[in-house]
Amino acid sequence: MAETTSLLADVDSTSLLSQTAESKPASQYFKGIRKLLSIIAVVSSIISIGLLVSNLIIIGNAQFSWNPWWTQQKSKQLIFVMIPSIVFSALNIFVTIPILLSMVVDGVLAGYVIARVVGFIESFPDSSWCQTRYNYPGRTPIPPPAGCGHWKLVSTVLMGITAGFSILIAYVYCLHCSIAPSELGSLPNQVVAEAVGPVATNRRDLHSN
């Protein structure tokens, strides 16, 4: 009878220890994915800010047929989105944020980035930037400033790359939010396994003695 009890105890402890081994990798897997996504968001946000600032400097100093005020405003609005993106993603890398709170912030940032990117894309350079104007009265034609087409192309390229990174950031936050329920579902098993694991190990040691 004692041998049967000892055998059952060994089986129970082995089962519990195997559950511990299975639950820890699951939790670590999700944490690793979240950290990787946060790193991508930080890097993409920093690059986006650099591109936005560069574009603001260019369109603020280059000569165009019309003042690109609308593009400047949309660029500044997108910068204001990237700053909290960097802060929150950096916190996710170095600090363990509660999963439910992380889901809420991820959803808010994803929606905020998407909304600003749509407005940013609408402010892309168009033909009016380098069109011929007419001075009234008399309809005297005023040709586009020298180098207007060149700087318009540069601005378009910078804004296109920025829009791509911004969409990537929004996608990262959507992924970040989507894996949170899976990570949350893996937590109870891990907590139970970690709580019972030492007990099972102690029982096994006692029976072996």
Side-chain angles (χ1 to χ4, degrees):
M1 185 66 179
E3 293 180 356
T4 304
T5 304
S6 177
L7 181 60
L8 290 174
D10 289 342
V11 172
D12 291 342
S13 62
T14 303
S15 176
L16 289 170
L17 289 173
S18 65
Q19 291 177 6
T20 305
E22 291 175 357
S23 61
K24 284 185 177 179
S27 177
Q28 293 300 321
Y29 170 78
F30 289 117
K31 287 182 179 179
I33 293 296
R34 288 179 63 190
K35 182 173 290 188
L36 176 61
L37 292 174
S38 297
I39 292 173
I40 294 174
V42 169
V43 174
S44 299
S45 299
I46 293 174
I47 294 175
S48 297
I49 289 179
L51 293 171
L52 287 166
V53 171
S54 300
N55 189 56
L56 284 172
I57 294 174
I58 289 174
I59 64 178
N61 293 277
Q63 297 295 319
F64 300 101
S65 298
W66 301 99
N67 183 13
W69 176 85
W70 186 245
T71 302
Q72 291 173 325
Q73 296 303 311
K74 293 301 180 180
S75 298
K76 293 175 183 178
Q77 290 177 2
L78 195 55
I79 289 177
F80 293 146
V81 177
M82 296 303 167
I83 293 175
S85 172
I86 293 175
V87 173
F88 178 71
S89 297
L91 285 175
N92 255 327
I93 296 173
F94 300 106
V95 180
T96 302
I97 299 177
I99 297 177
L100 293 178
L101 176 61
S102 180
M103 287 179 62
V104 173
V105 177
D106 288 336
V108 171
L109 283 176
Y112 198 25
V113 171
I114 291 172
R116 292 307 184 191
V117 169
V118 170
F120 179 73
I121 293 175
E122 291 176 349
S123 69
F124 266 45
D126 55 24
S127 58
S128 66
W129 283 38
C130 296
Q131 70 180 11
T132 300
R133 294 186 299 165
Y134 294 92
N135 189 17
Y136 291 92
R139 289 185 57 83
T140 303
I142 303 175
C148 178
H150 169 75
W151 292 117
K152 175 188 171 184
L153 176 61
V154 172
S155 179
T156 302
V157 172
L158 290 176
M159 292 180 68
I161 298 174
T162 303
F165 274 109
S166 301
I167 294 172
L168 174 62
I169 293 168
Y171 182 64
V172 164
Y173 282 123
C174 290
L175 287 178
H176 211 273
C177 189
S178 65
I179 67 172
S182 299
E183 183 179 2
L184 192 63
S186 70
L187 285 180
N189 293 332
Q190 181 191 16
V191 172
V192 172
E194 289 180 349
V196 180
V199 177
T201 305
N202 292 334
R203 286 178 58 190
R204 186 174 184 180
D205 293 338
L206 289 173
H207 284 290
S208 63
N209 293 330

